[in-house]
Amino acid sequence: MRAVIQRVSEADCKVDGLVTGNIGTGFLVLLGIEDADTDDDLQWLAQKITNLRVFGDENGLMNKALADIDGEILLISQFTLFAQTKKGNRPSFIKAARPEKAIPLYEKMIATLEGLTGKRVRVGIFGADMKVALVNDGPVTIIIDTKIRE
């Protein structure tokens, strides 16, 4: 799994002009799922997301996690995070999981994040043409790949 996590002061997702999810302060998480992903990848990544300390404390240092600031999550599926661009100019998405594998993992990620945060996770619509808007706070953007656990 690959996640692009953006610290936001607000974010929303629209499909066909209708808002499917919106949040105030928290994380916009763009989530890519590949064929090789397992439940272990999901659990590890969910823990990382919820415990990531990138929110400012009283001294202006990035010391607080999502729970410390009562933050929210907007989770958006994004298979293009597994684009391969080595050859030519047209990306290949062969590493991205097919919907029959990706959808159950995406839905499990939603449930796992909700369990860890105790809050409803806002979402887009899997496979839809989404319009995602955000105000990146900082800017702070963190990329995590479960296959590169550094």
Side-chain angles (χ1 to χ4, degrees):
M1 287 185 173
R2 193 170 287 162
V4 175
I5 304 157
Q6 298 180 80
R7 184 179 78 180
V8 299
S9 55
E10 62 184 75
D12 68 60
C13 178
K14 294 178 183 172
V15 175
D16 296 328
L18 299 173
V19 175
T20 63
N22 64 314
I23 63 168
T25 302
F27 288 143
L28 167 63
V29 179
L30 305 174
L31 180 68
I33 300 170
E34 69 175 315
D35 269 336
D37 287 329
T38 65
D39 189 59
D40 179 59
D41 291 306
L42 186 147
Q43 296 299 328
W44 183 84
L45 182 57
Q47 288 289 335
K48 281 291 184 184
I49 291 168
T50 56
N51 293 313
L52 200 59
R53 294 182 359 191
V54 296
F55 295 95
D57 65 12
E58 51 283 342
N59 297 316
L61 300 174
M62 290 196 289
N63 263 335
K64 293 189 175 188
L66 206 57
D68 300 325
I69 57 113
D70 197 30
E72 302 175 279
I73 296 174
L74 174 59
L75 183 69
I76 305 294
S77 64
Q78 190 168 353
F79 75 93
T80 60
L81 291 178
F82 282 102
Q84 293 180 318
T85 59
K86 185 176 180 179
K87 293 179 10 182
N89 294 317
R90 184 175 181 186
S92 168
F93 303 105
I94 198 161
K95 284 184 67 178
R98 306 276 316 144
E100 53 272 11
K101 174 161 187 167
I103 291 171
L105 283 173
Y106 175 70
E107 290 173 349
K108 186 167 186 180
M109 179 60 85
I110 295 166
T112 302
L113 289 171
E114 287 179 342
L116 290 170
T117 63
K119 292 184 139 197
R120 184 170 158 225
V121 171
R122 309 298 192 216
V123 296
I125 296 177
F126 190 96
D129 181 19
M130 296 176 272
K131 307 299 181 210
V132 180
L134 70 139
V135 177
N136 191 319
D137 181 19
V140 174
T141 302
I142 308 289
I143 300 170
I144 300 176
D145 190 317
T146 61
K147 304 300 188 252
I148 308 170
R149 297 185 185 190
E150 298 176 331

